[in-house]
Amino acid sequence: AQSVTQPDIHITVSEGASLELRCNYSYGATPYLFWYVQSPGQGLQLLLKYFSGDTLVQGIKGFEAEFKRSQSSFNLRKPSVHWSDAAEYFCAVGDRGGKLIFGQGTELSVKP
Amino acid sequence: DVKVTQSSRYLVKRTGEKVFLECVQDMDHENMFWYRQDPGLGLRLIYFSYDVKMKEKGDIPEGYSVSREKKERFSLILESASTNQTSMYLCASSPGLAISTDTQYFGPGTRLTVL
C-alpha cells in the first residue's frame, strides 16, 4: 500500500540556520511527490512538486527538495530559515487517480 | 488567485445532529476534495469528485456523504454527528488538467467540535 512517513514530528531550528525535513514514501511505480506548508490558521499551500525530470526541484519561498529513488526519499531543504517559515509541513505522494496520500506532518519552530 | 472558501471557520454541534460543511471554489476547477486533519495523522481523504454529480469514496468515508450539484460547490454532510468526528475539515480543488500531477488548492479549514 502507498504510504508516506515523516519521521520528525517537531523540529526547532535557529533563524538563519539550514533546514532539512525528511520524507520517505512507499509506492510501487514512479511516484508523484509534493510538499505543502500550512501556516497557523490557514489552509495548505503547495511548496513544490516532482513527477519527472531533474531530481532536484525548486519551489517557492526558497525551498528545494531532492528525489532519491534508491532511498525512497523526498527531503525538503532550505539554506537559511526565516522566522516566517514556522509552520507545519506535509509531504504527500499522488497516485494515478489523483488522490494524495499525506504524511503525518512536521511542525517547524524557529528560534530567534 | 485561486480561492477556495469554506462556510465556517469554527462550528460546534451536538451528537446526533445533521451537519453540513460547504466549500466553494471560484476557478472553474473540475476536481474537489474533502479531507479531515487530525494531529499525528496528517490529512486523510474522505470523498472526492471529478465532476458535477459524481463522487468517489476516499480512505475514510464512513459516517460521511457528499453532494456536488454545481461545479463550484462541494458539500460534506455528517448524517448524524458523533464525537469522533470532531476534527479540522479541509476542502481542496484542482484544475483537472492532469489528475495525477495537478496542484490541489486548499481552503482555510473548518474546525468542527461535536459535543
Side-chain angles (χ1 to χ4, degrees):
Chain A
Q2 304 148 17
S3 66
V4 177
T5 301
Q6 295 179 245
D8 304 306
I9 296 172
H10 190 195
I11 284 182
T12 299
V13 299
S14 297
E15 191 166 16
S18 63
L19 171 70
E20 182 168 27
L21 302 182
R22 296 184 291 163
C23 173
N24 295 99
Y25 67 89
S26 172
Y27 190 71
T30 300
Y32 301 137
L33 295 161
F34 304 78
W35 274 101
Y36 282 84
V37 60
Q38 185 179 34
S39 298
Q42 298 189 24
L44 277 70
Q45 180 185 23
L46 180 73
L47 285 174
L48 47 80
K49 60 184 178 182
Y50 169 81
F51 48 91
S52 66
D54 193 343
T55 56
L56 185 62
V57 182
Q58 302 297 321
I60 63 171
K61 305 186 181 189
F63 285 92
E64 67 178 25
E66 187 170 13
F67 170 57
K68 293 185 177 180
R69 184 187 300 276
S70 61
Q71 298 177 19
S72 297
S73 70
F74 189 56
N75 294 349
L76 182 71
R77 300 194 294 248
K78 186 170 185 178
S80 177
V81 168
H82 187 263
W83 64 266
S84 60
D85 294 323
E88 190 156 21
Y89 291 80
F90 292 93
C91 181
V93 62
D95 70 11
R96 296 298 182 268
K99 291 166 58 177
L100 288 178
I101 296 103
F102 284 87
Q104 303 90 327
T106 298
E107 185 175 353
L108 174 66
S109 298
V110 180
K111 287 191 301 187
Chain B
D1 269 2
V2 176
K3 193 155 188 185
V4 180
T5 57
Q6 296 183 229
S7 50
S8 306
R9 293 299 300 271
Y10 300 93
L11 209 53
V12 179
K13 296 292 182 181
R14 297 209 175 271
T15 301
E17 279 192 78
K18 190 168 186 175
V19 180
F20 292 86
L21 302 182
E22 305 285 341
C23 174
V24 177
Q25 49 93 3
D26 67 355
M27 284 302 293
D28 201 35
H29 283 177
E30 300 293 329
N31 308 319
M32 296 188 75
F33 306 82
W34 274 107
Y35 296 88
R36 64 176 282 174
Q37 180 181 7
D38 300 288
L41 297 178
L43 279 73
R44 293 177 291 166
L45 182 64
I46 304 171
Y47 268 98
F48 59 108
S49 168
Y50 290 135
D51 200 354
V52 175
K53 297 192 185 295
M54 296 189 69
K55 60 186 180 185
E56 297 281 344
K57 292 181 179 179
D59 299 317
I60 52 165
E62 297 78 17
Y64 303 94
S65 62
V66 290
S67 171
R68 195 168 179 200
E69 296 295 321
K70 293 185 177 182
K71 190 175 187 179
E72 68 271 18
R73 188 180 297 270
F74 193 35
S75 302
L76 180 69
I77 303 154
L78 287 65
E79 297 289 343
S80 178
S82 64
T83 55
N84 63 11
Q85 293 178 310
T86 291
S87 186
M88 171 72 87
Y89 290 88
L90 293 169
C91 176
S93 70
S94 69
L97 302 172
I99 185 68
S100 304
T101 57
D102 271 353
T103 297
Q104 290 189 20
Y105 296 86
F106 285 80
T110 295
R111 186 168 293 282
L112 173 67
T113 301
V114 183
L115 302 176

